Amino acid sequence: MPSEAIDSHAHLYFDRFNDDRDEVIQRAKDAGFVAIINIAVDEQTSVQVIDLARQNPGFCHAVVGVHPTHSGMPASELAATLAAIEALCDEHPQQVVGIGEIGLDYYWKDVSPEDQERAFIAQLDIARRRNLPVVIHCREAWPDTLAVIEKHGAGVIGVFHCFGGTVEEARRALDLGWYVSFAGNVTYPKAQDLRDAAAIVPLDRLLLETDSPFLAPQPKRGKRNEPVHSLHTADQLAKIHGTDRRTVLNATTFNSRTLFRLSSGKIR
Ligand SMILES: [Zn+2]
Ligand SMILES: [Zn+2]
């Protein structure tokens, strides 16, 4: 029997899965996966992740929200978008398990930091109102992301997905009481800094993810990523922590269930 696993961050609604989405999901089930959490990036994909969750009840779950690189819009449009997304939380309580992905991204320059921060803060507020965890996307914006959460994130818990910060930043994330998730890039030969950060994240604060279709781990690097490939990432995390795959999967599966309040069925 393979250990139970959860891919806490995937985008299986992307067109790149149109030809074989059901096979991708079945491969994950055959490998022991008990859940895949699909993360939206805007209003339209928030509807898509809910559809996917309805088509795969109890297995696919939905996280809805506006990604920082999709947050460039006038204030009135943002308010309408977020109102629609908040309504989805009410209409689909069985499917929606979190708000995301939200945060700051200073790598892509097309949305101003001010627009990004406005959307980020407003969605932390939604998470607090709806009592939902958040999925944080942060790229080249660690100091500001942590500052926003420290200032506006009281009463909210979440995960820093695809962690790309330093050991010191990982420590601050842990100090918040939040979870930290590593994607396939932690397996890349040059990513020693990521492995150093992963080493200080205790197993009870670690999540497993693919960020499918992106960031396939080393043996599959350059190919389309899919949930089952996160087992390679689990092996790397096991090596870093001096343990085995089963121990990492037991811990990360338990942590995902706790953060997103999943059960083997779903208790929400
Ligand atoms: Zn992301
Ligand atoms: Zn993502």
Side-chain angles (χ1 to χ4, degrees):
M1 271 278 283
S3 301
E4 292 188 344
I6 291 179
D7 182 355
S8 68
H9 192 115
H11 301 277
L12 295 189
Y13 53 87
F14 279 11
D15 289 350
R16 290 178 70 185
F17 294 102
N18 281 357
D19 290 341
D20 63 347
R21 189 169 289 112
D22 290 345
E23 285 97 316
V24 166
I25 289 170
Q26 190 57 48
R27 271 197 290 278
K29 287 180 175 172
D30 292 345
F33 283 74
V34 291
I36 297 171
I37 300 173
N38 285 293
I39 320 290
V41 295
D42 59 12
E43 185 180 343
Q44 189 199 338
T45 55
S46 292
V47 173
Q48 288 180 299
V49 289
I50 290 169
D51 286 345
L52 205 45
R54 295 175 67 160
Q55 289 153 17
N56 298 274
F59 188 77
C60 286
H61 305 277
V63 169
V64 297
V66 178
H67 190 287
T69 63
H70 293 256
S71 64
M73 58 182 100
S76 56
E77 191 184 334
L78 179 70
T81 299
L82 295 184
I85 286 174
E86 191 161 1
L88 290 174
C89 299
D90 289 337
E91 289 157 19
H92 304 282
Q94 294 296 314
Q95 284 77 35
V96 176
V97 298
I99 300 295
E101 47 189 295
I102 64 174
L104 300 173
D105 188 321
Y106 295 168
Y107 176 80
W108 304 104
K109 311 277 184 210
D110 15 353
V111 180
S112 73
E114 292 74 26
D115 277 7
Q116 293 189 31
E117 191 172 310
R118 182 173 61 191
F120 185 12
I121 293 169
Q123 292 180 96
L124 286 171
D125 290 342
I126 292 175
R128 187 181 303 104
R129 277 200 296 276
R130 300 290 148 202
N131 192 24
L132 289 167
V134 296
V135 174
I136 299 292
H137 171 100
C138 171
R139 194 162 180 196
E140 298 188 2
W142 278 99
D144 287 358
T145 299
L146 287 164
V148 167
I149 292 170
E150 283 161 0
K151 193 164 170 213
H152 301 276
V156 180
I157 189 163
V159 54
F160 293 91
H161 112 84
C162 191
F163 187 81
T166 62
V167 168
E168 193 43 49
E169 285 152 352
R171 205 161 272 139
R172 282 179 70 187
L174 293 171
D175 286 346
L176 285 168
W178 287 33
Y179 292 88
V180 180
S181 176
F182 291 87
N185 49 346
V186 75
T187 66
Y188 297 168
K190 286 184 180 161
Q192 190 53 45
D193 49 340
L194 279 185
R195 287 187 283 279
D196 291 344
I200 71 137
V201 179
L203 286 179
D204 64 0
R205 303 289 281 282
L206 206 55
L207 256 57
L208 188 66
E209 70 164 292
T210 52
D211 208 8
S212 301
F214 309 115
L215 292 173
Q218 190 62 28
K220 306 286 177 185
R221 194 169 179 179
K223 301 204 174 80
R224 184 192 71 173
N225 203 4
E226 65 173 76
V228 73
H229 296 338
S230 60
L231 297 175
H232 296 293
T233 308
D235 288 342
Q236 177 65 256
L237 293 168
K239 206 165 145 195
I240 292 167
H241 282 273
T243 184
D244 54 14
R245 176 191 283 192
R246 180 172 292 270
T247 303
V248 167
L249 293 181
N250 285 345
T252 54
T253 298
F254 179 83
N255 297 342
S256 278
R257 281 189 169 134
T258 304
L259 177 63
F260 295 107
R261 293 185 222 131
L262 315 177
S263 70
S264 6
K266 190 156 168 293
I267 42 173
R268 293 159 57 81

mmCIF file of all heavy atoms in Angstrom, residues 134-150:
data_model
loop_
_atom_site.group_PDB
_atom_site.id
_atom_site.type_symbol
_atom_site.label_atom_id
_atom_site.label_comp_id
_atom_site.label_asym_id
_atom_site.label_seq_id
_atom_site.Cartn_x
_atom_site.Cartn_y
_atom_site.Cartn_z
ATOM 1 N N VAL A 134 -5.196 30.798 3.845
ATOM 2 C CA VAL A 134 -4.741 31.439 2.602
ATOM 3 C C VAL A 134 -3.526 30.700 2.034
ATOM 4 O O VAL A 134 -2.752 30.087 2.770
ATOM 5 C CB VAL A 134 -4.377 32.929 2.807
ATOM 6 C CG1 VAL A 134 -5.604 33.725 3.205
ATOM 7 C CG2 VAL A 134 -3.248 33.104 3.812
ATOM 8 N N VAL A 135 -3.402 30.807 0.708
ATOM 9 C CA VAL A 135 -2.230 30.277 0.001
ATOM 10 C C VAL A 135 -1.455 31.478 -0.532
ATOM 11 O O VAL A 135 -1.972 32.245 -1.351
ATOM 12 C CB VAL A 135 -2.655 29.347 -1.151
ATOM 13 C CG1 VAL A 135 -1.433 28.915 -1.965
ATOM 14 C CG2 VAL A 135 -3.408 28.139 -0.612
ATOM 15 N N ILE A 136 -0.227 31.639 -0.036
ATOM 16 C CA ILE A 136 0.569 32.826 -0.366
ATOM 17 C C ILE A 136 1.518 32.551 -1.522
ATOM 18 O O ILE A 136 2.291 31.587 -1.509
ATOM 19 C CB ILE A 136 1.413 33.276 0.851
ATOM 20 C CG1 ILE A 136 0.516 33.652 2.033
ATOM 21 C CG2 ILE A 136 2.333 34.437 0.462
ATOM 22 C CD1 ILE A 136 -0.322 34.882 1.842
ATOM 23 N N HIS A 137 1.446 33.416 -2.530
ATOM 24 C CA HIS A 137 2.428 33.433 -3.616
ATOM 25 C C HIS A 137 3.345 34.628 -3.381
ATOM 26 O O HIS A 137 2.875 35.758 -3.260
ATOM 27 C CB HIS A 137 1.717 33.574 -4.963
ATOM 28 C CG HIS A 137 2.646 33.814 -6.115
ATOM 29 N ND1 HIS A 137 3.034 32.813 -6.983
ATOM 30 C CD2 HIS A 137 3.292 34.934 -6.532
ATOM 31 C CE1 HIS A 137 3.864 33.315 -7.889
ATOM 32 N NE2 HIS A 137 4.034 34.599 -7.641
ATOM 33 N N CYS A 138 4.641 34.363 -3.307
ATOM 34 C CA CYS A 138 5.588 35.444 -3.078
ATOM 35 C C CYS A 138 6.799 35.227 -3.961
ATOM 36 O O CYS A 138 7.425 34.167 -3.914
ATOM 37 C CB CYS A 138 6.023 35.440 -1.612
ATOM 38 S SG CYS A 138 7.384 36.560 -1.292
ATOM 39 N N ARG A 139 7.097 36.199 -4.798
ATOM 40 C CA ARG A 139 8.286 36.081 -5.640
ATOM 41 C C ARG A 139 9.056 37.389 -5.591
ATOM 42 O O ARG A 139 8.530 38.445 -5.932
ATOM 43 C CB ARG A 139 7.884 35.748 -7.077
ATOM 44 C CG ARG A 139 9.078 35.275 -7.884
ATOM 45 C CD ARG A 139 8.648 34.533 -9.145
ATOM 46 N NE ARG A 139 9.813 34.095 -9.889
ATOM 47 C CZ ARG A 139 9.794 33.700 -11.150
ATOM 48 N NH1 ARG A 139 8.653 33.669 -11.801
ATOM 49 N NH2 ARG A 139 10.904 33.327 -11.760
ATOM 50 N N GLU A 140 10.281 37.294 -5.118
ATOM 51 C CA GLU A 140 11.183 38.447 -5.000
ATOM 52 C C GLU A 140 10.533 39.594 -4.248
ATOM 53 O O GLU A 140 10.718 40.767 -4.574
ATOM 54 C CB GLU A 140 11.671 38.891 -6.390
ATOM 55 C CG GLU A 140 12.459 37.775 -7.052
ATOM 56 C CD GLU A 140 13.162 38.159 -8.342
ATOM 57 O OE1 GLU A 140 13.072 39.331 -8.735
ATOM 58 O OE2 GLU A 140 13.792 37.276 -8.931
ATOM 59 N N ALA A 141 9.741 39.253 -3.238
ATOM 60 C CA ALA A 141 9.027 40.281 -2.476
ATOM 61 C C ALA A 141 8.898 39.874 -1.013
ATOM 62 O O ALA A 141 7.902 40.195 -0.360
ATOM 63 C CB ALA A 141 7.639 40.491 -3.092
ATOM 64 N N TRP A 142 9.895 39.166 -0.497
ATOM 65 C CA TRP A 142 9.763 38.629 0.854
ATOM 66 C C TRP A 142 9.562 39.669 1.937
ATOM 67 O O TRP A 142 8.629 39.546 2.741
ATOM 68 C CB TRP A 142 10.936 37.694 1.189
ATOM 69 C CG TRP A 142 10.637 36.364 0.606
ATOM 70 C CD1 TRP A 142 11.114 35.857 -0.571
ATOM 71 C CD2 TRP A 142 9.684 35.436 1.096
ATOM 72 N NE1 TRP A 142 10.509 34.660 -0.822
ATOM 73 C CE2 TRP A 142 9.649 34.370 0.167
ATOM 74 C CE3 TRP A 142 8.854 35.395 2.223
ATOM 75 C CZ2 TRP A 142 8.808 33.276 0.358
ATOM 76 C CZ3 TRP A 142 8.028 34.304 2.396
ATOM 77 C CH2 TRP A 142 8.006 33.258 1.482
ATOM 78 N N PRO A 143 10.383 40.712 2.002
ATOM 79 C CA PRO A 143 10.200 41.658 3.117
ATOM 80 C C PRO A 143 8.792 42.264 3.125
ATOM 81 O O PRO A 143 8.148 42.335 4.173
ATOM 82 C CB PRO A 143 11.270 42.730 2.854
ATOM 83 C CG PRO A 143 12.303 42.031 2.020
ATOM 84 C CD PRO A 143 11.544 41.053 1.175
ATOM 85 N N ASP A 144 8.303 42.682 1.936
ATOM 86 C CA ASP A 144 6.982 43.311 1.880
ATOM 87 C C ASP A 144 5.867 42.310 2.185
ATOM 88 O O ASP A 144 4.881 42.649 2.854
ATOM 89 C CB ASP A 144 6.745 43.945 0.503
ATOM 90 C CG ASP A 144 7.575 45.217 0.313
ATOM 91 O OD1 ASP A 144 8.294 45.606 1.266
ATOM 92 O OD2 ASP A 144 7.518 45.808 -0.782
ATOM 93 N N THR A 145 6.008 41.079 1.676
ATOM 94 C CA THR A 145 4.973 40.071 1.921
ATOM 95 C C THR A 145 4.842 39.784 3.418
ATOM 96 O O THR A 145 3.733 39.761 3.969
ATOM 97 C CB THR A 145 5.304 38.769 1.155
ATOM 98 O OG1 THR A 145 5.337 39.060 -0.239
ATOM 99 C CG2 THR A 145 4.261 37.692 1.428
ATOM 100 N N LEU A 146 5.982 39.586 4.065
ATOM 101 C CA LEU A 146 5.943 39.317 5.509
ATOM 102 C C LEU A 146 5.392 40.527 6.264
ATOM 103 O O LEU A 146 4.619 40.378 7.208
ATOM 104 C CB LEU A 146 7.341 38.950 6.009
ATOM 105 C CG LEU A 146 7.813 37.539 5.583
ATOM 106 C CD1 LEU A 146 9.309 37.386 5.763
ATOM 107 C CD2 LEU A 146 7.062 36.462 6.352
ATOM 108 N N ALA A 147 5.758 41.731 5.812
ATOM 109 C CA ALA A 147 5.277 42.940 6.492
ATOM 110 C C ALA A 147 3.755 43.062 6.382
ATOM 111 O O ALA A 147 3.085 43.410 7.361
ATOM 112 C CB ALA A 147 5.962 44.180 5.907
ATOM 113 N N VAL A 148 3.203 42.781 5.181
ATOM 114 C CA VAL A 148 1.745 42.859 5.008
ATOM 115 C C VAL A 148 1.052 41.850 5.926
ATOM 116 O O VAL A 148 0.068 42.170 6.597
ATOM 117 C CB VAL A 148 1.343 42.604 3.528
ATOM 118 C CG1 VAL A 148 -0.167 42.363 3.402
ATOM 119 C CG2 VAL A 148 1.760 43.778 2.650
ATOM 120 N N ILE A 149 1.589 40.635 5.970
ATOM 121 C CA ILE A 149 0.946 39.606 6.805
ATOM 122 C C ILE A 149 1.055 39.983 8.282
ATOM 123 O O ILE A 149 0.090 39.847 9.043
ATOM 124 C CB ILE A 149 1.566 38.220 6.531
ATOM 125 C CG1 ILE A 149 1.204 37.772 5.109
ATOM 126 C CG2 ILE A 149 1.085 37.192 7.554
ATOM 127 C CD1 ILE A 149 1.951 36.542 4.640
ATOM 128 N N GLU A 150 2.222 40.476 8.680
ATOM 129 C CA GLU A 150 2.385 40.841 10.090
ATOM 130 C C GLU A 150 1.442 41.988 10.478
ATOM 131 O O GLU A 150 0.929 42.033 11.587
ATOM 132 C CB GLU A 150 3.857 41.190 10.367
ATOM 133 C CG GLU A 150 4.732 39.916 10.471
ATOM 134 C CD GLU A 150 6.226 40.146 10.288
ATOM 135 O OE1 GLU A 150 6.645 41.303 10.071
ATOM 136 O OE2 GLU A 150 6.978 39.162 10.337
#
